[in-house]
Amino acid sequence: MRLGKTADDVVVAGGGLVGMAVALEAARRGLRVRVLDRSTPGAGATQAAAGMLSPLSESSDGGPFLSAGLASLRLYPGWIDALRAVSEVDPRYRRDGKLRVACAPPALRGLAGLARRAREFGLSAAPIDGEDLARLAGTRVAPPSGALLLAEDHQVDNRCLHRAVSEGARRTGVAVTPDAEVVAVVVERGRAIGVRLAGGDLLRAGAVVLAAGAWTGGIPGIPFPLPVRPVRGQMLALDARDSLPARVIESEDVYLVPRWDGRLLVGATVEEVGFDSGCTAEAGTLLRDAAIRLLPGLATAPVLDHWHGFRPGTPDAHPIIGTAPGVEGLYMATGHFRNGILLAPWTAEALGRLLAGGDGPEIPEAFLPDRFQRSPEDGRRSHAPNGG
Ligand code: GLY
């Protein structure tokens, strides 16, 4: 492995979408940045995701998560344009909206709550019935108990997006080193001076950003509690060229995400199995059956792929973003759980501001890394993103 001899301004541990987006933003603001990845950049949660940009569905009330999610969604169009320009890669961003359906009557209550929250935040959540549903879905949907069109929900092809951000970062001067496992954050006199790699090399840097997703909590030398845990998600891709929906469709059981190449992504399990790698036949059957229940035309769609990833979960389901407590020059950008793709531009701007100054969002207290050291009273979460 050949690494530069002089210190970088910033070393980012983790080359997934969040780490790479932070690196690009820091480089854009004039810093010399290096990304280290334990394996292949983007091979963690980034490749496993579905790319739904759905802050409303992923939040159970109007807390800081929803505010950040909506702010990030608003950043997306400009971010995508800038990425296209710098990378010449198309991230396949789509603003089709999402059909959210309740298959069974008990799910109607959730749908009503969603419509109420949408109204509170000035978002549209139009009730949809029979003919309109078939037209908006572009394919036959099993008659649901209720349906909404969430027009402001978007999607992006997360793998294309990662390619665009990585290429943009490379062209902006970011050095990327794969197969470089960080085994320690090196701290001297209360200041992070770099990281140590498996193999023993010390890589000096003015600032260290930990963005290693589900693996962040396992990096030794972090002198405060960092309760990030892996939450496995399994996904399928179907060849749905004959019955591809026109937009994302989500029920209480499953979400279906149509891609530009005729694949339909079907997701996802939420499994607390640690880093137990691999897919299970049981989950494959469960996902496929749920997809067919929602769109009966999928009964003959062949399964093209079945994969899994590890979401970085946190105890309060909020991301961990900001300055590390008690260690100067150490920053966190992790714990995004189900929303790393959505929150990437917001996180990049927030970290860009901390690392280099300039514009960027204020990070809400609920996201700050020191919250796990606060008393339960201080650190009590105000809402729980519930997934969707
Ligand atoms: N963002 C959807 C999921 O994590 O399954």
Side-chain angles (χ1 to χ4, degrees):
M1 184 191 318
R2 291 179 63 84
L3 297 172
K5 289 231 178 310
T6 51
D8 293 293
D9 293 324
V10 183
V11 160
V12 180
L17 184 67
V18 167
M20 208 58 98
V22 168
L24 170 56
E25 186 57 29
R28 211 184 58 76
R29 295 182 190 222
L31 299 177
R32 199 163 61 161
V33 186
R34 177 179 300 278
V35 172
L36 306 169
D37 195 278
R38 54 189 293 281
S39 61
T40 303
T46 294
Q47 59 78 34
M52 289 185 296
L53 307 175
S54 306
L56 200 60
S57 318
E58 294 282 341
S59 150
S60 60
D61 69 19
F65 172 82
L66 181 55
S67 302
L70 289 172
S72 206
L73 190 64
R74 283 193 292 273
L75 291 175
Y76 248 93
W79 194 50
I80 294 288
D81 286 348
L83 287 173
R84 276 205 192 99
V86 69
S87 69
E88 297 175 271
V89 176
D90 184 354
R92 308 273 179 181
Y93 173 54
R94 290 172 57 170
R95 304 194 219 186
D96 304 312
K98 178 204 275 183
L99 285 166
R100 178 73 191 237
V101 308
C103 290
L108 280 173
R109 192 198 295 247
L111 215 57
L114 202 56
R116 199 172 47 247
R117 282 203 310 287
R119 275 195 302 278
E120 273 170 34
F121 283 83
L123 301 169
S124 67
I128 304 295
D129 55 24
E131 263 175 38
D132 280 343
L133 182 60
R135 183 178 55 78
L136 288 165
T139 187
R140 189 163 73 82
V141 183
S145 302
L148 296 172
L149 176 63
L150 304 173
E152 283 95 354
D153 273 19
H154 301 161
Q155 68 136 308
V156 67
D157 184 320
N158 36 290
R159 295 179 188 179
C160 294
L161 178 63
H162 185 264
R163 272 200 292 282
V165 177
S166 303
E167 182 59 17
R170 196 185 64 76
R171 292 185 183 191
T172 312
V174 174
V176 179
T177 311
D179 301 316
E181 190 183 354
V182 171
V183 294
V185 176
V186 181
V187 178
E188 273 180 17
R189 288 185 288 281
R191 183 172 182 92
I193 58 142
V195 295
R196 189 160 309 276
L197 300 179
D201 283 353
L202 166 66
L203 212 56
R204 290 183 177 272
V208 174
V209 179
L210 301 182
W215 288 267
T216 313
I219 297 177
I222 306 172
F224 52 87
L226 192 68
V228 183
R229 70 180 196 287
V231 182
R232 190 171 72 180
Q234 296 187 49
M235 302 268 303
L236 293 181
L238 305 181
D239 180 347
R241 273 171 294 185
D242 298 333
S243 48
L244 195 68
R247 45 184 45 79
V248 175
I249 306 183
E250 183 176 17
S251 74
E252 61 270 38
D253 298 325
V254 73
Y255 53 75
L256 307 175
V257 182
R259 288 296 202 231
W260 50 279
D261 55 4
R263 284 177 310 139
L264 182 68
L265 308 194
V266 182
T269 61
V270 180
E271 302 168 84
E272 298 282 355
V273 293
F275 280 114
D276 188 356
S277 258
C279 295
T280 63
E282 189 192 357
T285 304
L286 201 95
L287 291 168
R288 185 164 176 273
D289 287 354
I292 294 169
R293 269 199 308 282
L294 188 53
L295 300 188
L298 294 175
T300 54
V303 175
L304 295 173
D305 202 359
H306 182 183
W307 66 92
H308 75 283
F310 296 106
R311 305 174 183 89
T314 62
D316 55 12
H318 282 142
I320 303 174
I321 303 174
T323 311
V327 186
E328 247 185 280
L330 180 60
Y331 301 86
M332 318 297 302
T334 187
H336 291 74
F337 190 38
R338 300 174 62 99
N339 291 287
I341 310 297
L342 170 66
L343 291 173
W346 187 92
T347 305
E349 293 223 338
L351 262 289
R353 175 169 165 263
L354 291 181
L355 293 165
D359 291 344
E362 285 280 344
I363 302 167
E365 278 212 358
F367 295 1
L368 294 179
D370 74 355
R371 67 184 187 271
F372 304 110
Q373 290 176 318
R374 290 182 226 149
S375 71
E377 285 300 302
D378 296 341
R380 193 162 44 208
R381 69 178 177 174
S382 57
H383 92 300
N386 63 349

